[in-house]
Each structure stands twice: as C-alpha cells, then as structure tokens.
Amino acid sequence: MDFADLIQILAATVRLSVPLIFTALAGLYAERSGIFDIGLEGKMLFSAFSAASVATVTGSPWLGLFAGILTGVLLSLLHGFASITQRGNQIISGVAINFIASGLTILLGNAWFGQGGRTPQLPNTARFTEITLPFAADIAPIPVLGPLYSGLVSGQNILVYLAFLAVPFTWWVLYRTRFGLRVRAVGENPGAVDTAGISVAWLRYRALICCGILAGFAGTYLSIAQSAGFIREMSAGKGYIALAALVFAKWKPLNVLLTCLLFGFLDAASIRLQGIILPGIGEVPVQLIQALPYILTVILLAGFIGKAIPPKAGGVPYVKER
C-alpha cells in the first residue's frame, strides 16, 4: 500500500463517518437530557427519504435538506410525545419509530415514484457535490502535505465540513451555555431542575428537537450527498452503530468524533479488503469482510470500553412530585 492508497482510505473514512457523527451527536443531545433514543435509525432513514423526494421534485438540495431536517424534528416530537408527555416506554417508542420509517418509506416510495421503494436518480444539480478548496491543485505536487490537502481536506461536500464543525459546536453548547448546563442537569437529576422552576418536559423537548435536526442532516447526507437518491433501508444499521459509538465515547462530543472516525475506518477497510487473498486461507468471503465492522464494534464495546455510566435519569419518565 502506497501513500496514495492511504489517502484514499482516509478520505473514505471521513465520508463514511459523517452519518455516524451526525447521528451520534443527535443521540448525545437526547440521552444527555434523559431520553433514550433507539429511534435514531428510523429518523435517519425517513429523513433520507424525505430529502431525496423533495430534491427529486424541486431539483434543490437545500430544500431537500430542509425536508430532511423537518422530518427528523417531527419524528423527535413524536418520540417526545410518547415518552415525555405520555410517559411511555422510551425503548418501545424508539423501536416503533424504526418500524414506521422502514415501512412508510417503502410504501410512499412505491406510491409516488413506482420504483420499488427507490427515488429517481438525482442529477448533480439536485445533490450536494464535492467542493474544491482554494489552492488544492497548486499544493497537490508538494509531498505529503499536497495529497493530504487536495485528496483528503479538499474535495468533500459541504455536509462533511458541517459534520466536523458540529462536534466543537455541540461541545460548546453542552459545556459553555446555560441550555447545555440545564440539559446535562435534567439528565442527571430532573427533580432538582424542576425545583429550580425550570420545565423538565420543555427542556427535554428542546433537546429532542436538536436531536431531530442532526438526524435530519445524517439522513440528507445519505441520500443526496453520499448517494444520488434514496434506496430502501439505506441507513443499513448506521443508527445502531452510532448508538454504540455514543456509548463507546461515554457521551462526550470529542470522543464521539474519534469513535465515529474509528468505525468509519473499519467500514472503509472492510470495503478495501473485499476479495483479498490471505496466505494459507485463500480468498476471504465477502460476507465476512462486510460483517467486520460490526464484529469489531462488539469486540471494542465488550473488551475495551470499560464501564460506561449513562445519565442517571436516562430512560425513566419524570413524574412531578406534588
């Protein structure tokens, strides 16, 4: 493997980690406020469908992004209504959202476009395409620095840059703003927050709205940035991997970035290793290579993470004392 191959793997790592970063940060807002959100997979999937559908009809990726975000927020509000207002089981509510998204995207896709749950292929004008940063071509011949800048930093679409900017922004919101302090407090001790005269329900709803916005970005990236349209079940378990990354990162934004990059690298490496021949074994089955990221996810979570302590009030409906 030469340096050019390494740059290609790193660039693929960045692209594959973006939906994980957005989704893990979405789960971070929800779980820091005390709401477990298993429905991240469904939010991402339905947002991907909405973004691709609107981009197909309007030809605008920005309207597609708006539709994806709106879908994510609406599903988050649905989850909030079930788990906050009605004090329902948060796990069941999240699983229900996943089932709804899985079924409705196929049903609506067939009804609207008649392509077996797909949307029509989008032209480049209706997608978020790669951006060439200034001086990329001029710096490219410079050893090491040139390929890193022109092949890794440059040539990504705008949602990639937004994903990496969302990490320090989330850290700032959670640790340097009043809203973030209250979100963390309501996830640990909602009774104390309520005693201070702050609405626990409204605070958790706002955290879920943030969750829906980021899930909308993740879904939009899948369908109109990474791909050129929606295909059925295109989230392919990324919501669950993002939840695993969130636990592995122990609910800290900067750790979330590193963990998602690790999982993105495993995914990129699995693609690169397909068809490889190992001495004494022969060609490695494609199915094993495709399962490699999931196997390593389980190994990492089971053997290297140590004890992960979630927010104390997570998963428990808050009942105001009278």
Side-chain angles (χ1 to χ4, degrees):
M1 179 185 295
D2 57 16
F3 189 67
D5 292 332
L6 178 61
I7 293 296
Q8 289 181 359
I9 292 178
L10 292 177
T13 297
V14 169
R15 290 191 294 270
L16 292 170
S17 67
V18 167
L20 300 179
I21 293 171
F22 276 132
T23 309
L25 291 177
L28 180 62
Y29 279 99
E31 298 201 5
R32 276 292 191 176
S33 71
I35 303 295
F36 287 167
D37 198 349
I38 300 296
L40 291 172
E41 175 81 7
K43 293 175 185 177
M44 179 167 41
L45 181 63
F46 217 140
S47 295
F49 174 76
S50 298
S53 298
V54 171
T56 298
V57 174
T58 65
S60 169
W62 294 103
L63 289 178
L65 175 61
F66 175 76
I69 292 174
L70 181 61
T71 300
V73 170
L74 290 176
L75 289 175
S76 286
L77 292 177
L78 176 62
H79 183 49
F81 177 76
S83 59
I84 300 173
T85 304
Q86 300 299 322
R87 302 188 184 94
N89 187 290
Q90 297 172 11
I91 303 298
I92 293 176
S93 173
V95 171
I97 288 175
N98 292 338
F99 286 153
I100 290 170
S102 179
L104 275 183
T105 51
I106 297 173
L107 178 65
L108 294 176
N110 278 326
W112 293 349
F113 305 108
Q115 296 188 11
R118 296 171 174 260
T119 59
Q121 180 148 342
L122 293 169
N124 286 338
T125 54
R127 298 177 58 230
F128 290 108
T129 53
E130 292 75 15
I131 299 173
T132 302
L133 296 180
F135 310 112
D138 299 327
I139 297 177
I142 301 176
V144 182
L145 179 62
L148 281 173
Y149 181 74
S150 61
L152 182 60
V153 179
S154 180
Q156 309 289 354
N157 64 74
I158 191 171
L159 296 186
V160 174
Y161 302 115
L162 288 178
F164 282 85
L165 289 174
V167 175
F169 178 75
T170 297
W171 177 87
W172 177 78
V173 168
L174 288 177
Y175 294 97
R176 290 294 184 270
T177 67
R178 181 181 300 177
F179 170 71
L181 173 63
R182 291 176 174 178
V183 165
R184 289 185 289 122
V186 80
E188 296 292 337
N189 192 341
V193 174
D194 190 27
T195 302
I198 301 169
S199 172
V200 172
W202 173 228
L203 191 56
R204 286 180 167 176
Y205 266 112
R206 282 187 287 170
L208 283 179
I209 289 172
C210 295
C211 170
I213 291 171
L214 289 167
F217 271 101
T220 301
Y221 175 82
L222 284 180
S223 61
I224 64 175
Q226 188 180 57
S227 304
F230 176 85
I231 59 174
R232 56 193 301 174
E233 306 294 348
M234 74 180 307
S235 53
K238 290 182 175 62
Y240 302 115
I241 295 180
L243 279 175
L246 184 59
V247 176
F248 187 66
K250 298 185 177 180
W251 296 272
K252 296 179 180 179
L254 298 181
N255 291 350
V256 163
L257 172 63
L258 297 177
T259 306
C260 290
L261 285 173
L262 172 62
F263 289 162
F265 174 77
L266 296 176
D267 201 1
S270 71
I271 296 173
R272 188 78 176 182
L273 290 173
Q274 289 185 15
I276 190 172
I277 298 177
L278 297 179
I281 298 177
E283 184 174 343
V284 180
V286 174
Q287 294 81 359
L288 178 60
I289 296 298
Q290 291 175 340
L292 185 62
Y294 304 96
I295 295 172
L296 293 180
T297 297
V298 173
I299 294 173
L300 288 172
L301 288 176
F304 295 95
I305 183 177
K307 187 176 182 181
I309 303 175
K312 294 179 181 177
V316 180
Y318 176 66
V319 180
K320 186 174 183 179
E321 297 180 2
R322 297 185 179 180

